[in-house]
Amino acid sequence: MLNEFWFEAKNINCFKCGFRVIKDLNLKIAYSENVILIGPNGSGKSSLIEVINRNIYPIAANESFIKIFDEELINLWELRKRISTVNNDIKNRINPNLRVFDLILSGLYGKYCFISTKTEEDNYKVQCLIKNMNILDLSKKIFSNLSDGEKQIALFARALIKKPDILILDEPIANLDYKSKFLVIDKIDELSKLNTKIFCVTHDISMITEIYDRVIMLKDGEIFADGNQEEVINSENLKNLYGINVEVIKNNGFWIIKKFSKK
């Protein structure tokens, strides 16, 4: 029987620059789940992504292990095929004059530039993805001419071209205006209908839509809340997460956070 979890960690601790950024982590994530990880800046969210992508490693200890796709020693090339990560640093690597169609195709080769050796099969794969994502008009544009929200969607498409099992989205709406923010959130909701599962990392609870089966709250490198939306998202948890007195309500499928006024 195949393991139901693509990620398993038991009692792991990780350090960066002498600081413990992941503390006694116990976490399992199933293939069947869309998961959103939420926490303030400096909570360890990016460090957890680095652990998953094998960019940092936990300290070796008894009764401690990490498995990805049921392997403790997974091949990095295999990992890159099965997990695609989109973060905000990627934009700086892209030739600004690249057409979105060619940007998507470049993902098949692990590059960010025009691929002169592309095949008809490559073109067909991109055409199919463009159709499934409903981004035909976007695919014809030049990357530098896109809005910030459109750039994010183009990067999602590039990340999906290899049909990964898991799509990691690292702060996908950071620094976006309201129009771009909702454009990106709506597109992520559409992506949930494809075969790839989403692991979204954010500090913004407005990202939490109905597609997410599970919400994990991370603070100071530790998980302090984990469960479905109704279990985890409440004013007390958010007060503890952000260190501010707030009220949270749900409206039309979106969570809204309000700061209590001083009297």
Side-chain angles (χ1 to χ4, degrees):
M1 181 179 176
L2 291 174
N3 193 336
E4 64 178 301
F5 302 106
W6 67 267
F7 180 82
E8 296 179 80
K10 181 180 180 183
N11 299 329
I12 70 166
N13 290 274
C14 299
F15 289 79
K16 288 172 68 177
C17 302
F19 293 95
R20 188 162 62 142
V21 291
I22 299 293
K23 302 174 183 176
D24 302 319
L25 180 74
N26 289 279
L27 178 63
K28 293 181 178 182
I29 307 176
Y31 286 98
S32 60
E33 299 176 305
N34 288 318
V35 177
I36 191 159
L37 177 73
I38 185 168
N41 294 337
S43 61
K45 303 188 303 295
S46 294
S47 296
L48 182 54
I49 292 175
E50 290 185 278
V51 170
I52 293 171
N53 282 324
R54 288 297 208 243
N55 293 323
I56 61 173
Y57 289 81
I59 299 298
N62 292 331
E63 303 299 320
S64 172
F65 69 82
I66 179 171
K67 290 183 180 180
I68 301 177
F69 303 120
D70 209 25
E71 299 284 347
E72 290 192 56
L73 296 172
I74 189 170
N75 180 286
L76 285 178
W77 292 108
E78 180 69 15
L79 185 69
R80 300 293 180 261
K81 289 178 186 175
R82 302 186 66 182
I83 298 178
S84 285
T85 301
V86 177
N87 59 47
N88 289 300
D89 295 333
I90 292 175
K91 296 188 188 78
N92 300 324
R93 305 181 198 172
I94 296 167
N95 181 331
N97 298 317
L98 197 62
R99 191 171 54 127
V100 171
F101 184 100
D102 294 309
L103 172 63
I104 297 169
L105 192 147
S106 74
L108 291 168
Y109 294 82
K111 298 182 178 181
Y112 298 91
C113 58
F114 182 79
I115 305 298
S116 59
T117 56
K118 62 186 176 183
T119 66
E120 283 304 313
E121 183 182 2
D122 293 339
N123 285 329
Y124 178 72
K125 288 178 180 177
V126 176
Q127 289 165 0
C128 289
L129 179 61
I130 286 168
K131 181 178 179 181
N132 289 337
M133 288 186 63
N134 192 27
I135 56 169
L136 179 60
D137 289 343
L138 181 68
S139 71
K140 300 174 183 177
K141 296 181 179 180
I142 301 300
F143 187 76
S144 61
N145 293 338
L146 303 181
S147 70
D148 287 338
E150 289 174 329
K151 286 179 179 177
Q152 284 292 75
I153 292 168
L155 294 178
F156 297 165
R158 181 189 175 279
L160 288 169
I161 191 61
K162 283 190 174 181
K163 298 182 178 179
D165 296 306
I166 309 298
L167 177 64
I168 297 178
L169 304 178
D170 186 4
E171 298 286 4
I173 60 171
N175 304 315
L176 297 185
D177 60 30
Y178 280 110
K179 181 178 179 180
S180 292
K181 175 177 172 179
F182 290 117
L183 177 70
V184 169
I185 290 172
D186 288 345
K187 184 55 68 174
I188 293 171
D189 285 1
E190 290 178 28
L191 297 183
S192 70
K193 299 170 186 174
L194 304 178
N195 291 327
T196 298
K197 288 299 178 182
I198 295 169
F199 182 72
C200 181
V201 176
T202 184
H203 66 273
D204 189 338
I205 71 162
S206 65
M207 278 289 310
I208 306 174
T209 58
E210 299 290 343
I211 70 163
Y212 295 102
D213 309 291
R214 181 177 174 190
V215 179
I216 300 170
M217 290 184 174
L218 191 70
K219 184 178 182 180
D220 297 328
E222 298 180 276
I223 292 173
F224 83 91
D226 183 356
N228 66 45
Q229 295 190 30
E230 306 302 329
E231 292 171 333
V232 171
I233 305 174
N234 56 61
S235 299
E236 186 64 22
N237 275 348
L238 287 165
K239 175 184 176 182
N240 291 330
L241 184 66
Y242 292 111
I244 188 171
N245 201 16
V246 295
E247 177 186 15
V248 63
I249 59 173
K250 195 172 189 180
N251 184 29
N252 293 325
F254 286 91
W255 294 96
I256 300 169
I257 190 170
K258 296 181 178 180
K259 181 179 177 292
F260 281 125
S261 300
K262 292 181 179 180
K263 295 189 177 180

